[in-house]
């Protein structure tokens, strides 16, 4: 009798995952970015030098190149990658719903996001800085943003760094993307755009205005994966290590930011660990 019950318990434990998988409710194995023939990768579409959608529908930028390298190491060639514009406001949702398999889109690893997302990397550590119009000489550091209109991109963390973490009483203005923030700044609807130096450097190349050069955070750019995709995360981390070891990271940083004046870090960042 006891034996029979034990056997039933074992059978149940072994059968449940298979049944769930058959119903499309499987765990990390089924939804992992590892072992795939093709990948859908979320990137930005309007951030010069990071993620830009060209008129012909293809994408370019540092994040696009990093994503292509990582996918290649995971066995997926460029021809089998579909890039999809994934703005800050939809990143967590896109991973949870499975509309993208992976996100490489100036996506900082934060404690709050880690509750919903598994992050590989970081593949780079940027720093938050602030971009102002050329005539705004009185804005010298983050504290000078008090009472100034700053960009609040939905789903992005940069405005929180100023208002919630630094407790600077800036006036946030909601805008959809960083491209739209730069347009609003040029049009006089904002006083400053405070976000990652890589993002600002990408825009600065084509616009009047200046970066104030007062970095105040570490923005650990992670590769977003569906929560629980530890196998995918470990493969991503192996690929990032390779990207630094074989000189690709340095080459890509120089390719996209070599003329920006930013101090570039070419050693592999400390990984956060897959959780
Ligand atoms: N790295 C910051 C973040 O993840 C700002 C850029 C962005 O939203 O893409 O919130």
């Amino acid at each position: 009798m006891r034996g029979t019950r034990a056997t039933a318990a074992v059978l149940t434990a072994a059968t449940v995952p298979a049944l769930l998988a058959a119903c499309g409710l499987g765990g990390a194995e089924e939804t992992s970015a590892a072992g795939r023939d093709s990948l859908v990768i979320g990137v930005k579409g309007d951030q010069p030098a990071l993620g830009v959608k060209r008129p012909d529908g293809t994408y370019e930028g540092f994040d696009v190149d990093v994503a292509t390298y990582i996918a290649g190491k995971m066995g997926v060639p460029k021809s089998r990658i579909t890039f999809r514009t994934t703005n800050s406001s939809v990143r967590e949702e896109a991973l949870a719903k499975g509309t993208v398999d992976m996100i490489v889109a100036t996506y900082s690893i934060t404690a709050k996001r880690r509750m919903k997302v598994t992050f590989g990397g970081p593949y780079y550590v940027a720093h938050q800085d602030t971009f102002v119009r050329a005539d705004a000489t009185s804005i010298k550091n983050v504290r000078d943003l008090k009472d100034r209109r700053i960009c609040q991109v939905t789903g992005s963390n940069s405005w929180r760094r100023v208002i919630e973490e630094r407790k600077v009483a800036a006036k946030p203005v909601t805008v959809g993307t960083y491209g739209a923030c730069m347009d609003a700044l040029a049009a006089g609807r904002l006083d400053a755009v405070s976000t990652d130096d890589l993002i600002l450097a990408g825009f600065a190349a084509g616009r009047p205005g200046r970066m104030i050069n007062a970095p105040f955070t570490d923005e650990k750019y992670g590769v977003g994966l569906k929560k629980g995709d530890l196998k995918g995360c470990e493969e991503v981390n192996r690929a990032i290590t390779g990207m630094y070891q074989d000189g690709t990271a340095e080459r890509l940083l120089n390719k996209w930011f070599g003329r920006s004046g930013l101090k570039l870090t070419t050693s592999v960042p400390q990984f956060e660990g897959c959780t």
Side-chain angles (χ1 to χ4, degrees), residues 3-5 8 14 38 47 52 85 150-151 157 248 253 275:
T4 316
R5 237 184 258 140
S38 61
Q47 291 181 193
V52 170
T85 301
I150 65 163
C151 209
N157 200 45
T248 301
L253 285 164
T275 56

Side-chain angles (χ1 to χ4, degrees), residues 46-48 52 131-134 177-190 193 199-211:
D46 71 343
Q47 291 181 193
V52 170
F131 193 86
V132 295
R133 282 188 300 275
T177 66
Y178 281 102
C181 289
M182 298 305 285
D183 292 343
L185 180 72
R189 292 194 301 274
L190 289 173
V193 179
I199 297 178
L200 297 175
F203 282 115
R207 289 171 188 257
R210 66 188 173 89
M211 185 130 73

Side-chain angles (χ1 to χ4, degrees), residues 41-47 50-65 67-68 78 81-87 104 255-256:
I41 305 182
V43 292
K44 290 297 181 75
D46 71 343
Q47 291 181 193
L50 284 157
V52 170
K53 189 174 185 178
R54 298 192 194 100
D56 69 358
T58 60
Y59 287 80
E60 66 168 24
F62 177 67
D63 280 347
V64 176
D65 285 350
T68 304
K78 199 174 170 181
I81 300 171
T82 303
F83 287 107
R84 186 163 290 169
T85 301
T86 308
N87 290 334
V104 185
K255 171 182 170 188
W256 293 106

